[in-house]
Amino acid sequence: MKNLRLKAARAGLDLSQQELAERVGVSRQTISAIEKGDYNPTIHLCIAICKALGKTLDELFWE
Amino acid sequence: MSTSYLWGVAVGVIVGVIIVALIFTYNKKKTGTVVGGDFDERQQLLRGKAFQAGFFTMLILSFLYWVLVRLVLQRPLMEDGLSALICVLVGVGVFGFDCILHDAFFTVQNKPKNYIILFTATTISQIPAAINNLRDGTVIQNGVLTFLAVPIVCGVLFLSILTAIICKVLAMRKEDAEE
């Protein structure tokens, strides 16, 4: 399932996938895969993304 | 085996070891890791799956060759050890293609350009030996493929991986532009 909340939060900060990927230390393709719902990230990566976007786990990843 | 052949093998191995050591040293200095950066968690997962695919391809290919040679044809098609080497190379190829296809070939910090240069140089380095061996007509002797076919096999493998990398880089650029 697509993670549109992550995409919206990223776009809200005017960040590209590449910029977010650099902030959390992963490849751009990994961010793209998470947004498309093709990859289910570990809690470690979820937390890193939340910190980079200033959001909580509930706001970005809780269904 | 002639002395010149053994010298050729020895020089090839020494040059190979020196080049790999230089690349590892350069990567270690630049990124702190020998492969030129770290793979992220998704890439590590997919590389594990790709390794599995390559390993099982190698096993299945070895078994099929054994069945073909021992049970069906009942004569060797290649020199002893060459079939094992080709199975390993095909396994490596499957691992490489799987990684490239799933964006798990380049580390987070890696530049694909470096890989293109490396694989182009490696492919070109196989051409003189491959042409020489084909011209001598020593690649197949008495209906058996000899070890002199190794530069051709390696050349085909490196060229295939190089082509896959170039296609992937082009696809990545298109994705970047769309994003």
Side-chain angles (χ1 to χ4, degrees), chain A residues 24-45:
Chain A
V24 297
V26 297
S27 63
R28 189 197 63 77
Q29 287 80 7
T30 297
I31 298 295
S32 171
I34 296 169
E35 287 184 356
K36 284 180 188 166
D38 293 339
Y39 174 64
N40 198 8
T42 61
I43 188 71
H44 179 75
L45 181 54

Side-chain angles (χ1 to χ4, degrees), chain B residues 59-75:
Chain B
L59 281 187
I60 291 165
L61 212 56
S62 302
F63 176 71
L64 290 178
Y65 179 75
W66 180 83
V67 169
L68 184 70
V69 166
R70 299 283 173 187
L71 305 179
V72 181
L73 299 174
Q74 299 189 332
R75 70 173 185 86

Side-chain angles (χ1 to χ4, degrees), chain B residues 2-178:
Chain B
S2 66
T3 315
S4 62
Y5 179 80
L6 290 173
W7 269 110
V9 171
V11 170
V13 169
I14 291 167
V15 170
V17 168
I18 290 170
I19 290 172
V20 170
L22 285 174
I23 292 170
F24 281 4
T25 312
Y26 173 78
N27 284 341
K28 188 89 182 165
K29 259 187 192 171
K30 211 162 183 194
T31 63
T33 61
V34 289
V35 290
D38 293 314
F39 293 100
D40 67 34
E41 57 176 46
R42 184 191 62 88
Q43 290 177 315
Q44 284 176 5
L45 189 76
L46 291 168
R47 284 175 76 83
K49 285 181 183 170
F51 184 85
Q52 203 175 28
F55 181 73
F56 282 109
T57 303
M58 188 184 75
L59 281 187
I60 291 165
L61 212 56
S62 302
F63 176 71
L64 290 178
Y65 179 75
W66 180 83
V67 169
L68 184 70
V69 166
R70 299 283 173 187
L71 305 179
V72 181
L73 299 174
Q74 299 189 332
R75 70 173 185 86
L77 290 174
M78 303 173 198
E79 279 183 346
D80 290 342
L82 181 61
S83 62
L85 181 66
I86 289 178
C87 288
V88 170
L89 289 175
V90 173
V92 169
V94 168
F95 170 73
F97 281 119
D98 206 348
C99 287
I100 293 166
L101 189 69
H102 293 105
D103 300 308
F105 195 74
F106 313 116
T107 64
V108 177
Q109 297 95 331
N110 257 166
K111 299 271 181 292
K113 194 179 130 192
N114 296 344
Y115 280 91
I116 292 173
I117 294 168
L118 179 68
F119 277 96
T120 306
T122 320
T123 305
I124 290 170
S125 71
Q126 304 299 314
I127 293 172
I131 291 174
N132 197 33
N133 294 346
L134 280 172
R135 205 173 40 202
D136 289 352
T138 48
V139 173
I140 298 173
Q141 287 175 346
N142 304 320
V144 173
L145 196 68
T146 68
F147 263 96
L148 296 169
V150 170
I152 302 167
V153 177
C154 286
V156 170
L157 174 71
F158 293 133
L159 185 64
S160 311
I161 292 180
L162 175 65
T163 310
I165 290 173
I166 292 170
C167 290
K168 190 70 200 175
V169 169
L170 293 174
M172 278 161 64
R173 276 189 193 163
K174 200 178 164 194
E175 272 178 36
D176 286 346
E178 281 171 4

